Amino acid sequence: MSENRAADTTAIETVLADSYRAWAAGDADGMVADYTPDATAILPGSRRLGRDAIRDSMARGFAGPLRGTTTWNEHVSVRFVGRDAAVVVSESAILFDGATTAPESGRVNATWVLEKKDGSWKIAAYHNSPVLSPAPASTV
């Protein structure tokens, strides 16, 4: 019998939504508020090790090329790994100049790893890579 994880799924979605809201506000501290101290972020061509490094990188971005941007995010799946870990797969994009839809060419596939510590879900790792082709209707 599978366990109902609705409350955990809602809590995880809230963590991610809070991070997206902080991005839209240009708030680097808020964006990493729910990251673990040893979190990692891997993006094409870069590796950020630790919440402080992720925060500093985002602060530089918000002060420069990411100023005034928002994000578009579509959660594809949430999969639990044991009691205290989850993997979220999403498709995302950075929206520039007031855009409300994400062009195909700017979308990324993202993987989030979250862990539950002291009753709260925290982001332990994030990775993204460009969407190179439309996602298949179903996967094995």
Side-chain angles (χ1 to χ4, degrees), residues 7-23:
D8 285 322
T9 299
T10 298
I12 287 167
E13 290 172 349
T14 298
V15 165
L16 297 178
D18 288 348
S19 183
Y20 304 147
R21 271 192 292 281
W23 178 302

PDB file of all heavy atoms in Angstrom, residues 7-23:
ATOM      1  N   ALA A   7       0.604  16.047   1.959  1.00  0.00           N
ATOM      2  CA  ALA A   7       1.104  17.162   2.774  1.00  0.00           C
ATOM      3  C   ALA A   7       2.561  17.471   2.426  1.00  0.00           C
ATOM      4  O   ALA A   7       2.948  18.644   2.333  1.00  0.00           O
ATOM      5  CB  ALA A   7       0.959  16.851   4.258  1.00  0.00           C
ATOM      6  N   ASP A   8       3.367  16.417   2.215  1.00  0.00           N
ATOM      7  CA  ASP A   8       4.762  16.635   1.835  1.00  0.00           C
ATOM      8  C   ASP A   8       4.851  17.269   0.449  1.00  0.00           C
ATOM      9  O   ASP A   8       5.648  18.175   0.226  1.00  0.00           O
ATOM     10  CB  ASP A   8       5.545  15.319   1.858  1.00  0.00           C
ATOM     11  CG  ASP A   8       5.872  14.861   3.268  1.00  0.00           C
ATOM     12  OD1 ASP A   8       6.188  15.713   4.131  1.00  0.00           O
ATOM     13  OD2 ASP A   8       5.811  13.646   3.518  1.00  0.00           O
ATOM     14  N   THR A   9       4.024  16.806  -0.483  1.00  0.00           N
ATOM     15  CA  THR A   9       4.026  17.373  -1.831  1.00  0.00           C
ATOM     16  C   THR A   9       3.664  18.855  -1.778  1.00  0.00           C
ATOM     17  O   THR A   9       4.327  19.689  -2.415  1.00  0.00           O
ATOM     18  CB  THR A   9       3.047  16.605  -2.741  1.00  0.00           C
ATOM     19  OG1 THR A   9       3.469  15.235  -2.809  1.00  0.00           O
ATOM     20  CG2 THR A   9       3.003  17.205  -4.136  1.00  0.00           C
ATOM     21  N   THR A  10       2.659  19.200  -0.997  1.00  0.00           N
ATOM     22  CA  THR A  10       2.259  20.604  -0.852  1.00  0.00           C
ATOM     23  C   THR A  10       3.389  21.429  -0.239  1.00  0.00           C
ATOM     24  O   THR A  10       3.676  22.546  -0.692  1.00  0.00           O
ATOM     25  CB  THR A  10       0.984  20.710   0.000  1.00  0.00           C
ATOM     26  OG1 THR A  10      -0.068  20.023  -0.688  1.00  0.00           O
ATOM     27  CG2 THR A  10       0.578  22.158   0.232  1.00  0.00           C
ATOM     28  N   ALA A  11       4.046  20.891   0.776  1.00  0.00           N
ATOM     29  CA  ALA A  11       5.151  21.608   1.421  1.00  0.00           C
ATOM     30  C   ALA A  11       6.299  21.832   0.440  1.00  0.00           C
ATOM     31  O   ALA A  11       6.898  22.923   0.405  1.00  0.00           O
ATOM     32  CB  ALA A  11       5.625  20.839   2.650  1.00  0.00           C
ATOM     33  N   ILE A  12       6.609  20.830  -0.368  1.00  0.00           N
ATOM     34  CA  ILE A  12       7.678  20.967  -1.367  1.00  0.00           C
ATOM     35  C   ILE A  12       7.297  22.014  -2.403  1.00  0.00           C
ATOM     36  O   ILE A  12       8.118  22.872  -2.772  1.00  0.00           O
ATOM     37  CB  ILE A  12       7.963  19.597  -2.022  1.00  0.00           C
ATOM     38  CG1 ILE A  12       8.691  18.700  -1.015  1.00  0.00           C
ATOM     39  CG2 ILE A  12       8.759  19.750  -3.311  1.00  0.00           C
ATOM     40  CD1 ILE A  12       8.759  17.239  -1.420  1.00  0.00           C
ATOM     41  N   GLU A  13       6.071  21.972  -2.881  1.00  0.00           N
ATOM     42  CA  GLU A  13       5.620  22.963  -3.861  1.00  0.00           C
ATOM     43  C   GLU A  13       5.678  24.373  -3.283  1.00  0.00           C
ATOM     44  O   GLU A  13       6.000  25.334  -3.992  1.00  0.00           O
ATOM     45  CB  GLU A  13       4.223  22.613  -4.355  1.00  0.00           C
ATOM     46  CG  GLU A  13       4.223  21.375  -5.235  1.00  0.00           C
ATOM     47  CD  GLU A  13       2.842  20.860  -5.592  1.00  0.00           C
ATOM     48  OE1 GLU A  13       1.839  21.331  -4.996  1.00  0.00           O
ATOM     49  OE2 GLU A  13       2.765  19.974  -6.459  1.00  0.00           O
ATOM     50  N   THR A  14       5.420  24.517  -1.989  1.00  0.00           N
ATOM     51  CA  THR A  14       5.511  25.820  -1.326  1.00  0.00           C
ATOM     52  C   THR A  14       6.955  26.304  -1.278  1.00  0.00           C
ATOM     53  O   THR A  14       7.235  27.490  -1.530  1.00  0.00           O
ATOM     54  CB  THR A  14       4.901  25.747   0.081  1.00  0.00           C
ATOM     55  OG1 THR A  14       3.519  25.404  -0.040  1.00  0.00           O
ATOM     56  CG2 THR A  14       5.040  27.070   0.828  1.00  0.00           C
ATOM     57  N   VAL A  15       7.890  25.415  -0.961  1.00  0.00           N
ATOM     58  CA  VAL A  15       9.315  25.770  -0.939  1.00  0.00           C
ATOM     59  C   VAL A  15       9.737  26.305  -2.312  1.00  0.00           C
ATOM     60  O   VAL A  15      10.388  27.347  -2.413  1.00  0.00           O
ATOM     61  CB  VAL A  15      10.184  24.559  -0.525  1.00  0.00           C
ATOM     62  CG1 VAL A  15      11.660  24.782  -0.852  1.00  0.00           C
ATOM     63  CG2 VAL A  15      10.009  24.267   0.960  1.00  0.00           C
ATOM     64  N   LEU A  16       9.359  25.595  -3.360  1.00  0.00           N
ATOM     65  CA  LEU A  16       9.740  26.027  -4.702  1.00  0.00           C
ATOM     66  C   LEU A  16       9.046  27.335  -5.077  1.00  0.00           C
ATOM     67  O   LEU A  16       9.683  28.235  -5.644  1.00  0.00           O
ATOM     68  CB  LEU A  16       9.438  24.924  -5.715  1.00  0.00           C
ATOM     69  CG  LEU A  16      10.229  23.623  -5.498  1.00  0.00           C
ATOM     70  CD1 LEU A  16       9.815  22.576  -6.517  1.00  0.00           C
ATOM     71  CD2 LEU A  16      11.724  23.853  -5.512  1.00  0.00           C
ATOM     72  N   ALA A  17       7.770  27.474  -4.748  1.00  0.00           N
ATOM     73  CA  ALA A  17       7.042  28.711  -5.048  1.00  0.00           C
ATOM     74  C   ALA A  17       7.667  29.902  -4.318  1.00  0.00           C
ATOM     75  O   ALA A  17       7.773  31.002  -4.886  1.00  0.00           O
ATOM     76  CB  ALA A  17       5.569  28.563  -4.677  1.00  0.00           C
ATOM     77  N   ASP A  18       8.098  29.699  -3.079  1.00  0.00           N
ATOM     78  CA  ASP A  18       8.759  30.779  -2.332  1.00  0.00           C
ATOM     79  C   ASP A  18      10.058  31.197  -3.022  1.00  0.00           C
ATOM     80  O   ASP A  18      10.369  32.392  -3.102  1.00  0.00           O
ATOM     81  CB  ASP A  18       9.047  30.340  -0.896  1.00  0.00           C
ATOM     82  CG  ASP A  18       7.800  30.244  -0.033  1.00  0.00           C
ATOM     83  OD1 ASP A  18       6.720  30.733  -0.452  1.00  0.00           O
ATOM     84  OD2 ASP A  18       7.905  29.651   1.066  1.00  0.00           O
ATOM     85  N   SER A  19      10.797  30.222  -3.533  1.00  0.00           N
ATOM     86  CA  SER A  19      12.035  30.527  -4.243  1.00  0.00           C
ATOM     87  C   SER A  19      11.743  31.307  -5.528  1.00  0.00           C
ATOM     88  O   SER A  19      12.432  32.290  -5.840  1.00  0.00           O
ATOM     89  CB  SER A  19      12.792  29.229  -4.556  1.00  0.00           C
ATOM     90  OG  SER A  19      14.026  29.498  -5.173  1.00  0.00           O
ATOM     91  N   TYR A  20      10.700  30.903  -6.262  1.00  0.00           N
ATOM     92  CA  TYR A  20      10.327  31.622  -7.487  1.00  0.00           C
ATOM     93  C   TYR A  20       9.892  33.055  -7.176  1.00  0.00           C
ATOM     94  O   TYR A  20      10.237  33.986  -7.909  1.00  0.00           O
ATOM     95  CB  TYR A  20       9.174  30.919  -8.211  1.00  0.00           C
ATOM     96  CG  TYR A  20       9.403  29.470  -8.578  1.00  0.00           C
ATOM     97  CD1 TYR A  20       8.336  28.575  -8.588  1.00  0.00           C
ATOM     98  CD2 TYR A  20      10.661  28.980  -8.917  1.00  0.00           C
ATOM     99  CE1 TYR A  20       8.519  27.244  -8.935  1.00  0.00           C
ATOM    100  CE2 TYR A  20      10.848  27.646  -9.253  1.00  0.00           C
ATOM    101  CZ  TYR A  20       9.768  26.775  -9.266  1.00  0.00           C
ATOM    102  OH  TYR A  20       9.950  25.467  -9.602  1.00  0.00           O
ATOM    103  N   ARG A  21       9.139  33.241  -6.083  1.00  0.00           N
ATOM    104  CA  ARG A  21       8.695  34.590  -5.695  1.00  0.00           C
ATOM    105  C   ARG A  21       9.893  35.465  -5.335  1.00  0.00           C
ATOM    106  O   ARG A  21       9.947  36.646  -5.695  1.00  0.00           O
ATOM    107  CB  ARG A  21       7.726  34.522  -4.519  1.00  0.00           C
ATOM    108  CG  ARG A  21       6.275  34.381  -4.933  1.00  0.00           C
ATOM    109  CD  ARG A  21       5.321  34.615  -3.772  1.00  0.00           C
ATOM    110  NE  ARG A  21       5.397  33.567  -2.760  1.00  0.00           N
ATOM    111  CZ  ARG A  21       4.813  32.377  -2.866  1.00  0.00           C
ATOM    112  NH1 ARG A  21       4.126  32.061  -3.936  1.00  0.00           N
ATOM    113  NH2 ARG A  21       4.926  31.489  -1.899  1.00  0.00           N
ATOM    114  N   ALA A  22      10.852  34.889  -4.623  1.00  0.00           N
ATOM    115  CA  ALA A  22      12.045  35.646  -4.264  1.00  0.00           C
ATOM    116  C   ALA A  22      12.822  36.048  -5.517  1.00  0.00           C
ATOM    117  O   ALA A  22      13.348  37.160  -5.601  1.00  0.00           O
ATOM    118  CB  ALA A  22      12.916  34.837  -3.307  1.00  0.00           C
ATOM    119  N   TRP A  23      12.882  35.147  -6.500  1.00  0.00           N
ATOM    120  CA  TRP A  23      13.539  35.493  -7.771  1.00  0.00           C
ATOM    121  C   TRP A  23      12.853  36.719  -8.369  1.00  0.00           C
ATOM    122  O   TRP A  23      13.501  37.682  -8.763  1.00  0.00           O
ATOM    123  CB  TRP A  23      13.474  34.313  -8.739  1.00  0.00           C
ATOM    124  CG  TRP A  23      14.092  34.602 -10.084  1.00  0.00           C
ATOM    125  CD1 TRP A  23      13.751  35.595 -10.952  1.00  0.00           C
ATOM    126  CD2 TRP A  23      15.161  33.891 -10.700  1.00  0.00           C
ATOM    127  NE1 TRP A  23      14.528  35.553 -12.090  1.00  0.00           N
ATOM    128  CE2 TRP A  23      15.407  34.514 -11.961  1.00  0.00           C
ATOM    129  CE3 TRP A  23      15.926  32.787 -10.330  1.00  0.00           C
ATOM    130  CZ2 TRP A  23      16.379  34.052 -12.835  1.00  0.00           C
ATOM    131  CZ3 TRP A  23      16.896  32.334 -11.210  1.00  0.00           C
ATOM    132  CH2 TRP A  23      17.119  32.965 -12.441  1.00  0.00           C
TER     133      TRP A  23
END
